[in-house]
Amino acid sequence: MRRAMAEAEVGDDVFGEDPTVLLLQERVADLLGKEAALFVPSGSMANQLAVRVHTQPGDEVICEASCHIVNYESAAAPVLSGVQLLPLQGTRGRLSPEQVTGAIRHGYYWEPQSRLVCLENTANKAGGTVLDHTEVVAVGHVVRAKGLAFHLDGARLWNAAVASGLSERELAAPFDTVSVCLSKGLGAPIGSLIAGPTELIQKAHRWRKVLGGGMRQVGILAAAGLYALENHRQDLPSDHARARRLADGLAAFVAVTIDPVSVETNIVMFDVSGMTALETVDRLKEAGVLVVPFGLQRIRATTHRDLSDADIDLALAAAGRVLA
Ligand SMILES: *Cc1c(COP(=O)(O)O)cnc(C)c1O
């Protein structure tokens, strides 16, 4: 990947003259079955561009309560787009068509105007769970019948594709716009894209500049993304297998509560007892294992391409000492 970056052909992307960026945008648009795609610095910017191009100030965005847009983007949607988020309590990151139907406003002038529905696949905080595609299609029918827009936060769409056996293109089909990250499981240092209809991507291009996200000779980063798509995507099943092994190992500890069946991709959510999540995370860090607190007792572990099977054994041994 570093060699591909060093050898990348570059140009000024603010003038649309970076051939490697153009290639990446075409490649991702094609992978997702959308007309166009735009390279952006982060997944948060990709999601926020989607919110910006689909809405007007005063609109309302329906989403699932545990999603990234609600929890991890520093309240960007109200700040940058003047919209209100309506978080619905879903099941494992999922929203049913009935729930979405019930949340759509009726059009009275005293209400916010429902304008956009967002889903996340895989759903991070729910434990890297994969959305039920039939249900997503059904939600899409509701969204379209009501004249709303439909956005997918697909930061981990690659993982959802592996786990579901459906292609990224199939998983993206019900949505108007889709954001994807190259910087998560795919292992590129930086970079995300938003894909959708040309007209909306042109709007997003202007808003990217408004946010200061126009980058100059950024082909070195696009080259990393292209390399990751070509060479790293096929390794994701190993991450999933290692997450499962980690989950099965953790399940054996008395101080751990985990439902191993809930581990569908590369994320392992578990609860600890006897210590808080924060204390446990600190002690695991001392033992050389990095995990993230996700609640008072909840911890998230993630597997990635730089881990081996032996690393999982080491992590389980360390967890055994800390949680004993
Ligand atoms: C990581 C992530 C993003 C984007 O995060 P950035 O750090 O802004 O790149 C968006 N959605 C989900 C679900 C994520 O996990």
Side-chain angles (χ1 to χ4, degrees):
M1 182 182 282
R2 289 295 182 95
R3 190 171 306 118
M5 294 171 76
E7 290 169 358
E9 204 184 322
V10 296
D12 188 334
D13 187 53
V14 171
F15 290 133
E17 290 173 355
D18 189 307
T20 311
V21 171
L22 297 177
L23 197 61
L24 174 66
Q25 291 176 165
E26 272 172 36
R27 175 94 177 91
V28 169
D30 182 53
L31 260 174
L32 300 178
K34 302 298 180 200
E35 280 176 7
L38 182 72
F39 188 49
V40 296
S42 70
S44 299
M45 191 187 285
N47 282 336
Q48 292 306 321
L49 288 174
V51 172
R52 188 54 271 196
V53 301
H54 286 302
T55 65
Q56 292 297 320
D59 285 349
E60 190 166 59
V61 178
I62 296 167
C63 42
E64 202 280 324
S66 70
C67 76
H68 200 274
I69 291 175
V70 169
N71 295 284
Y72 306 121
E73 298 184 8
S74 307
V79 172
L80 301 175
S81 297
V83 296
Q84 174 164 294
L85 297 177
L86 181 61
L88 306 181
Q89 199 62 54
T91 311
R92 295 158 59 67
R94 293 159 56 167
L95 289 181
S96 70
E98 294 76 22
Q99 259 182 306
V100 173
T101 303
I104 295 172
R105 307 279 183 176
H106 303 287
Y108 299 117
Y109 75 87
W110 53 81
E111 293 180 318
Q113 182 148 1
S114 304
R115 183 67 203 113
L116 172 66
V117 177
C118 297
L119 292 179
E120 186 177 303
N121 202 10
T122 65
N124 171 31
K125 209 174 178 213
T129 48
V130 182
L131 300 185
D132 180 295
H133 190 62
T134 309
E135 191 174 48
V136 171
V137 169
V139 171
H141 289 319
V142 170
V143 169
R144 240 159 274 303
K146 296 284 185 179
L148 274 59
F150 203 17
H151 172 71
L152 176 66
D153 177 348
R156 295 187 183 78
L157 189 66
W158 327 107
N159 299 86
V162 164
S164 67
L166 296 172
S167 67
E168 289 85 354
R169 179 186 278 255
E170 288 169 295
L171 295 174
F175 298 91
D176 298 295
T177 53
V178 179
S179 59
V180 289
C181 289
L182 306 167
S183 54
K184 299 272 166 81
L186 288 188
I190 299 171
S192 296
L193 294 102
I194 172 174
T198 303
E199 189 200 339
L200 286 178
I201 296 305
Q202 280 170 350
K203 270 173 91 177
H205 192 192
R206 172 171 278 273
W207 280 104
R208 184 185 71 176
K209 190 64 177 158
V210 170
L211 299 178
M215 298 179 286
R216 299 288 176 176
Q217 300 194 29
V218 70
I220 49 170
L221 294 179
L226 282 165
Y227 185 92
L229 286 171
E230 285 315 313
N231 300 289
H232 290 178
R233 208 149 47 105
Q234 57 260 37
D235 294 339
L236 291 174
S238 309
D239 290 351
H240 296 188
R242 292 195 180 107
R244 171 145 305 285
R245 213 156 66 73
L246 180 67
D248 289 341
L250 287 170
F253 300 132
V254 177
V256 168
T257 307
I258 183 173
D259 176 8
V261 180
S262 72
V263 179
E264 298 179 34
T265 55
N266 65 327
I267 291 176
V268 180
M269 286 285 185
F270 59 100
D271 291 317
V272 290
S273 59
M275 268 188 296
T276 64
L278 272 175
E279 285 167 333
T280 311
V281 166
D282 283 345
R283 305 242 332 245
L284 282 170
K285 187 176 181 182
E286 283 166 24
V289 181
L290 300 177
V291 292
V292 184
F294 255 72
L296 218 49
Q297 301 300 137
R298 183 154 296 183
I299 294 174
R300 187 192 76 173
T302 320
T303 55
H304 56 83
R305 57 177 296 99
D306 299 325
L307 294 177
S308 65
D309 288 333
D311 289 323
I312 300 299
D313 294 334
L314 284 174
L316 283 171
R321 289 194 302 277
V322 166
L323 295 163

